[in-house]
Amino acid sequence: STQSTWGDQLGEVSAFAIMDLLYLCFVAGLCLPFAYFVVSRPRGFITKEGLVQLSNYKYASGGYSALDNILNHWWTWVVEQVPLWMAPNLLTLLGLITLAVSYATLAYYSPNMTEHPPAWTYLFCAFGHFAYQTLDAIDGKQARRTSSSSPLGQLFDHGCDSLGSLFIALPIANCLQLGNSFVTLFFLYSIQIPFFLAQWEEYHTHIIRTHIGNFGVTEGQWTVIIVLVASGLLPQGTLNTPLASLLPGSLGAALIARGWNVPFYMPLMMLSNILTFGVALLNIVQVIRIAKHKMEAFLQLVPLSAMVALAFVWQRTSAFAAHALIGLITLGLLFTYLTSQIIVCGMCHMPYSAFQPVLLPLPFIVANSFAAALFQTKGPILDEGFVMVAYGVFVGAVYSRFVVGTIQQITSYLQINCFTLKKQAKKQ
């Protein structure tokens, strides 16, 4: 019996030791990337060879859609009203700020994406999207007017587009009152994943695809604008009206009988997703056809794939539900950071690393929410709200340092300014 008692005690000690080791590994995995960021010295992301390649970069467009050609008359008129002293990157930044402020106004009245905000907030958000789309379209024209075209302009434009994708997707979740749901996250990634794959294709083919047939980026942006205007002008909840109630009696009854009485917006969202993922499929096919190192090319998709998979698990936790907006913005910043890197690497002919330290805390954050089941604890090891906010701040800091450092490298090497024009670049 004495041996049995010793065995039980030894088993309990071993169990506690294993648990302590798990705790230690968990906290280390969560905290080490934060500590590394704090103590490490900022280094330039672009190598010397990359800067040389950057100076030779030439943008190759994938063409224009019918709507692009129609709106070009408007864009040409607008850019002619812009003063010649205004830098193209400043136009891009103003567009992004307008987009972010318009969404922030909507989010103030509907932070959980389930409330009914004032109708004017939807219309203001539609204006923000229109201003962003217009300024994003004319920055290249302004660069040519002022003889200030540079690789930095291309990088800055696509970097702002990457961040802007978050402020394009979330207002739709507000319009449809999707809240913290699988559909919200799926819709966000239905915009962001094709955007990443377009940059990934350009990395390997040096041509960026912006549309399939006559549906592309511009058409997608105007779809969002129309939805926002409709949400502002129509009675609350119109877009959530059951589809069966809008169809003739027998057809509507048939939908209900088959369990297909989905909201009115669902078929439109499915059509939009089919088109956007159709473009994404073309991106993948082109890379398979052209990429010299196909295994390396697909390894570059590992960080994005891991982030998306973890995001869908994280979205189901109580912590994410309590702080959904913070979680979505954090995921948006993570996406922007990964996308900005592949844009820079493509322009500078640098390898894009499949190892991304900024993602290391994410699996531990998700595990923290499931600690009770994983480690037999009474609850999370660390406060979930604190961890989520801390990670959001961490990602924002990492991304900000990357952006500032990269801009400084490029402006210093090319002897240009980011938001102002040098005198010799201005037309007299």
Side-chain angles (χ1 to χ4, degrees), residues 208-221:
I208 187 164
R209 186 188 304 275
T210 58
H211 62 92
I212 175 172
N214 278 318
F215 185 89
V217 175
T218 304
E219 288 72 19
Q221 291 172 331

Side-chain angles (χ1 to χ4, degrees), residues 241-247 251-267 270:
T241 302
L243 182 61
S245 65
L246 303 175
L247 298 174
L251 186 55
L255 286 180
I256 294 174
R258 293 176 177 270
W260 294 350
N261 192 23
V262 296
F264 167 70
Y265 69 79
M266 189 60 72
M270 291 175 63

Side-chain angles (χ1 to χ4, degrees), residues 138-290:
I138 69 170
D139 53 7
K141 295 179 182 295
Q142 178 71 355
R144 290 185 287 275
R145 286 180 75 220
T146 56
S147 302
S148 59
S149 298
S150 73
L152 177 61
Q154 177 68 13
L155 172 61
F156 196 81
D157 183 283
H158 285 185
C160 287
D161 288 341
S162 176
L163 184 57
S165 65
L166 178 68
F167 303 120
I168 291 173
L170 292 185
I172 298 299
N174 283 89
C175 291
L176 306 179
Q177 291 153 5
L178 298 177
N180 173 41
S181 65
F182 172 87
V183 177
T184 297
L185 196 57
F186 180 83
F187 182 68
L188 173 64
Y189 284 135
S190 73
I191 293 175
Q192 292 187 334
I193 291 175
F195 185 86
F196 182 91
L197 291 177
Q199 311 306 321
W200 178 64
E201 181 188 1
E202 185 186 19
Y203 178 96
H204 293 281
T205 67
H206 310 299
I207 298 175
I208 187 164
R209 186 188 304 275
T210 58
H211 62 92
I212 175 172
N214 278 318
F215 185 89
V217 175
T218 304
E219 288 72 19
Q221 291 172 331
W222 273 92
T223 300
V224 171
I225 292 171
I226 291 170
V227 170
L228 288 166
V229 171
S231 298
L233 298 180
L234 298 176
Q236 291 279 9
T238 299
L239 296 178
N240 287 287
T241 302
L243 182 61
S245 65
L246 303 175
L247 298 174
S250 58
L251 186 55
L255 286 180
I256 294 174
R258 293 176 177 270
W260 294 350
N261 192 23
V262 296
F264 167 70
Y265 69 79
M266 189 60 72
L268 301 177
M269 181 178 287
M270 291 175 63
L271 177 61
S272 174
N273 289 337
I274 289 171
L275 291 170
T276 54
F277 281 111
V279 176
L281 182 61
L282 285 177
N283 298 143
I284 295 172
V285 170
Q286 281 296 98
V287 171
I288 292 174
R289 287 182 58 249
I290 296 176

Side-chain angles (χ1 to χ4, degrees), residues 50-65:
L51 288 170
V52 174
Q53 294 289 344
L54 180 70
S55 61
N56 298 321
Y57 173 80
K58 300 294 182 184
Y59 173 69
S61 170
Y64 303 95
S65 67

Side-chain angles (χ1 to χ4, degrees), residues 31 40 77 79 141 145 176 231 276 309 398 422:
C31 297
S40 64
W77 181 84
V79 77
K141 295 179 182 295
R145 286 180 75 220
L176 306 179
S231 298
T276 54
V398 170
K422 289 192 172 182

